[in-house]
Amino acid sequence: MTKYSSRYASSPEAVKKYDTQQLREEFLIDDLMQEDEIVLVYSHYDRYIAGSAVPVKGDLALETIDPLKAPYFLERRELGIINVGGSGSVVVEGTTYELGFKDALYIGAGNKEVVFKSDDSNNPAKFYLNSAPAHTTYPTKKVSLAEANKLQLGTMETANHRTVNQMIIGSVVTTCQLQMGMTELKPGSVWNTMPAHVHDRRMEVYFYLDIPQDQAVCHFMGQPQETRHIWMNNHQAVISPPWSIHSGSGTSNYTFIWGMAGENLDYGDMDVCKITDLR
């Protein structure tokens, strides 16, 4: 079964006036990882889709949704997948790709058959999905966490010591515009993406995981001079408009998956915001 919803674009001026509930309704995705369902959120920021697939009682096939006006989901799209649950597999046009915990898979446009499977229903795979429009087809490729391009950033002194695992990105996988990766914070560090930045050329979605029980992450968004925040729990995602910062601080260390699409594929194309200038 597939469930989907749409989120429309909001201007910076409008977001300044949002209360907590409206901010959460517009940007927070809090219904992911439902058993035996594919859940999708179609954002009007760069036509990006974020979602999940959790096969328990049986396999789940990726089906098209009405906003795409396409006979199958990947007719004009590419797809990135990262497994954040038990071991499982994804079948793409008859070829099976085994995905362990935190392994990734890129699927190019034009593939009609995509089926999600779990190895053990008592410990099901939990597939986190990101999709963006694609103008051509590139080969499907699995990227394990060990194969990711790893960047060591931040310091313990500034509480942002972290490993950035670039997984679905130009130096590892050829894509049209989709990029995905996973950032793991070291014990004792709580800040992600600090100093914060914006990139008007791309939108982004964050998905938080490895948040310990009874802990949370405060995600910061908005224009640098007009920030807002959303408190987030494990396995929730948040949409970041191109004009918004996207940063967070947790009550413990945690992991998050970042995914983005837009004007270019330059990971370093960002406008850094000086910490002391944030408001």
Side-chain angles (χ1 to χ4, degrees), residues 55 87-91 96-99 115-119 125 127:
S87 59
S89 60
V90 181
V91 180
T96 299
Y97 298 88
E98 303 286 346
L99 297 184
V115 180
F116 302 98
K117 300 172 177 282
S118 290
D119 291 351
F127 299 107

Side-chain angles (χ1 to χ4, degrees), residues 230-251:
I230 298 175
W231 281 97
M232 301 187 60
N233 299 321
N234 200 47
H235 287 179
Q236 292 183 337
V238 61
I239 299 168
S240 179
W243 47 262
S244 173
I245 66 167
H246 31 283
S247 183
S249 183
T251 56

Side-chain angles (χ1 to χ4, degrees), residues 46-68:
D46 288 302
R47 307 291 170 171
Y48 204 86
I49 293 176
S52 63
V54 184
V56 179
K57 296 178 182 178
D59 303 342
L60 291 174
L62 183 63
E63 301 172 342
T64 190
I65 57 176
D66 186 65
L68 303 184

Side-chain angles (χ1 to χ4, degrees), residues 137 146 150 161 199 239:
T137 299
K150 299 180 183 294
H161 194 201
H199 31 63
I239 299 168

Side-chain angles (χ1 to χ4, degrees), residues 115-273:
V115 180
F116 302 98
K117 300 172 177 282
S118 290
D119 291 351
D120 182 358
S121 61
N122 294 316
N123 183 28
K126 296 179 179 180
F127 299 107
Y128 176 61
L129 317 176
N130 279 190
S131 176
H135 62 274
T136 191
T137 299
Y138 290 113
T140 298
K141 183 178 180 179
K142 174 186 172 180
V143 181
S144 69
L145 184 60
E147 294 171 322
N149 183 43
K150 299 180 183 294
L151 306 176
Q152 302 298 327
L153 300 178
T155 66
M156 289 297 295
E157 289 75 15
T158 51
N160 65 347
H161 194 201
R162 60 201 189 273
T163 301
V164 178
N165 300 284
Q166 297 178 326
M167 305 181 79
I168 299 175
I169 196 168
S171 59
V172 181
V173 180
T174 302
T175 71
C176 287
Q177 63 167 327
L178 179 66
Q179 298 184 71
M180 290 181 73
M182 181 184 305
T183 299
E184 300 172 302
L185 274 71
K186 308 285 188 181
S189 285
V190 295
W191 279 101
N192 75 62
T193 323
M194 185 56 66
H197 63 261
V198 296
H199 31 63
D200 236 4
R201 281 72 62 194
R202 297 193 301 270
M203 65 83 66
E204 195 156 359
V205 175
Y206 275 13
F207 172 80
Y208 287 96
L209 66 149
D210 294 342
I211 301 176
Q213 189 174 5
D214 300 325
Q215 303 300 311
V217 173
C218 187
H219 180 86
F220 293 89
M221 62 167 295
Q223 292 176 295
Q225 69 276 14
E226 190 81 32
T227 61
R228 297 291 184 268
H229 69 272
I230 298 175
W231 281 97
M232 301 187 60
N233 299 321
N234 200 47
H235 287 179
Q236 292 183 337
V238 61
I239 299 168
S240 179
W243 47 262
S244 173
I245 66 167
H246 31 283
S247 183
S249 183
T251 56
S252 171
N253 66 311
Y254 53 91
T255 301
F256 72 97
I257 294 171
W258 43 268
M260 53 189 171
E263 185 69 23
N264 61 45
L265 291 169
D266 180 2
Y267 178 81
D269 178 12
M270 59 186 71
D271 302 315
V272 176
C273 309

